[in-house]
Amino acid sequence: MEKRSLSRDLPVHIIKKNDNASDLQFWQEKTPEERIDAVEFLRRQYYALSGCTTIPRITQIIQFRTHT
């Protein structure tokens, strides 16, 4: 039986703790799909570490705004 890992082959970058510009640049270089994948990966990790056996679905809410 093949053992699956939650980890991914993501590059590791060591930056200063308070380097917000580097964080912003890192995420701006990612595609929207890569950003969503990263959030989903972290969400699954959170629920797994919390002891949940099933991961709740994300509710999609769409709000229309009028420009004034």
Side-chain angles (χ1 to χ4, degrees):
M1 177 190 251
E2 181 180 328
K3 187 175 181 179
R4 295 185 69 186
S5 172
L6 291 177
S7 66
R8 297 186 180 203
D9 295 327
L10 298 176
V12 175
H13 301 280
I14 300 174
I15 59 171
K16 293 181 182 178
K17 183 177 180 179
N18 296 326
D19 189 359
N20 293 330
S22 182
D23 287 347
L24 180 61
Q25 180 184 1
F26 173 82
W27 288 111
Q28 284 179 334
E29 292 172 356
K30 303 298 177 196
T31 64
E33 292 81 10
E34 289 174 315
R35 295 177 198 169
I36 290 171
D37 286 345
V39 170
E40 181 62 18
F41 175 72
L42 293 172
R43 192 175 81 86
R44 288 180 182 273
Q45 281 187 327
Y46 170 79
Y47 284 112
L49 292 173
S50 297
C52 294
T53 56
T54 59
I55 299 172
R57 292 179 50 120
I58 295 177
T59 304
Q60 183 177 11
I61 299 173
I62 300 173
Q63 295 179 345
F64 292 98
R65 297 184 182 187
T66 58
H67 295 283
T68 57

